[in-house]
Amino acid sequence: DQQVKQNSPSLSVQEGRISILNCDYTNSMFDYFLWYKKYPAEGPTFLISISSIKDKNEDGRFTVFLNKSAKHLSLHIVPSQPGDSAVYFCAASTGNQFYFGTGTSLTVIP
Amino acid sequence: DTGVSQDPRHKITKRGQNVTFRCDPISEHNRLYWYRQTLGQGPEFLTYFQNEAQLEKSRLLSDRFSAERPKGSFSTLEIQRTEQGDSAMYLCASSVGLTNEQFFGPGTRLTVL
């Protein structure tokens, strides 16, 4: 059973515009959410996280929004840059177990 | 800071053979995780260590899989009697303290023929 879902396998955005990546989850016990970025032949790299007690966390060009009632989180990248092109995974945790989505491949077009 | 390292990076084996992978976490990271990732999927949690103690195991971790972290530093993941379905990328990650931020290694790609 997929507890964390990323329903968009791919996304293309023009350089300078906003990229919005979405993630849905089913387990209301999740208390921490994270976004990772992955380049080919490398392991995932941590981007940004948010605790379930917050609804927004911002770090530079990256902002994560959490809507607990909808069990939905999103990652906003503004402005998007070609170097942002990668696969983005959302993850959720309860205790010491982490559950990852299937990833969204972002392409930022120069 | 050398990051999380994994060895080997690639392993090709025949069905029925045993394989062992090694993970060296970032020094002083007391938490270590193993994941498996197949094509088109996200990483799937396998097991978690805090120091040398294995505290969590996924039901994905069948009895053919065993993991150790003998001195709370490096960790090994062994797969016995490999099957073609074991073909995947095996990722290791580490973290420290109360943070949930995990640092991932580059992974070991296993191909079972």
Side-chain angles (χ1 to χ4, degrees):
Chain A
D1 59 337
Q2 191 75 23
Q3 298 191 51
V4 178
K5 298 179 183 179
Q6 293 176 257
N7 293 317
S8 298
S10 62
L11 175 68
S12 291
V13 172
Q14 287 289 134
E15 181 179 4
R17 305 294 291 269
I18 184 171
S19 294
I20 300 176
L21 296 97
N22 294 302
C23 180
D24 298 293
Y25 61 95
T26 57
N27 189 344
S28 58
M29 298 300 292
F30 288 144
D31 56 6
Y32 209 81
F33 303 87
L34 310 94
W35 283 95
Y36 284 84
K37 175 180 179 179
K38 186 181 183 304
Y39 293 118
E42 296 182 10
T45 302
F46 170 78
L47 264 182
I48 191 168
S49 63
I50 187 167
S51 164
S52 61
I53 63 173
K54 296 186 176 181
D55 54 19
K56 177 183 176 180
N57 188 27
E58 190 171 356
D59 183 3
R61 296 187 297 114
F62 302 92
T63 303
V64 56
F65 296 91
L66 175 62
N67 182 334
K68 289 189 292 293
S69 61
K71 294 190 177 67
H72 178 84
L73 69 157
S74 61
L75 175 67
H76 292 208
I77 306 173
V78 182
S80 300
Q81 300 174 354
D84 295 330
S85 297
V87 177
Y88 289 78
F89 291 99
C90 68
S93 73
T94 174
N96 293 304
Q97 292 212 21
F98 289 75
Y99 299 84
F100 283 75
T102 52
T104 296
S105 178
L106 173 66
T107 302
V108 180
I109 304 164
Chain B
D1 178 11
T2 58
V4 178
S5 62
Q6 292 187 244
D7 183 69
R9 294 291 305 274
H10 303 274
K11 178 70 177 179
I12 300 173
T13 191
K14 292 183 178 179
R15 189 177 53 185
Q17 297 294 304
N18 298 344
V19 294
T20 300
F21 310 142
R22 176 179 170 122
C23 170
D24 287 89
I26 293 172
S27 57
E28 298 181 358
H29 276 197
N30 60 334
R31 300 183 177 199
L32 188 145
Y33 305 80
W34 283 99
Y35 293 87
R36 180 175 67 190
Q37 185 176 17
T38 53
L39 193 63
Q41 300 297 314
E44 294 176 292
F45 171 83
L46 291 178
T47 190
Y48 159 70
F49 288 86
Q50 183 164 320
N51 300 312
E52 67 275 8
Q54 187 175 20
L55 298 183
E56 299 267 6
K57 288 173 63 173
S58 165
R59 63 180 187 275
L60 294 175
L61 211 65
S62 78
D63 56 5
R64 296 185 299 105
F65 287 69
S66 62
E68 295 182 343
R69 194 181 183 197
K71 296 181 180 179
S73 56
F74 73 92
S75 175
T76 58
L77 178 67
E78 180 183 16
I79 309 174
Q80 296 182 328
R81 305 181 303 282
T82 52
E83 302 173 355
Q84 288 185 323
D86 297 331
S87 296
M89 176 74 81
Y90 289 84
L91 292 162
C92 174
S94 69
S95 66
V96 63
L98 299 177
T99 177
N100 282 305
E101 176 185 343
Q102 296 177 27
F103 293 81
F104 280 83
T108 294
R109 180 166 295 285
L110 173 66
T111 301
V112 181
L113 302 176

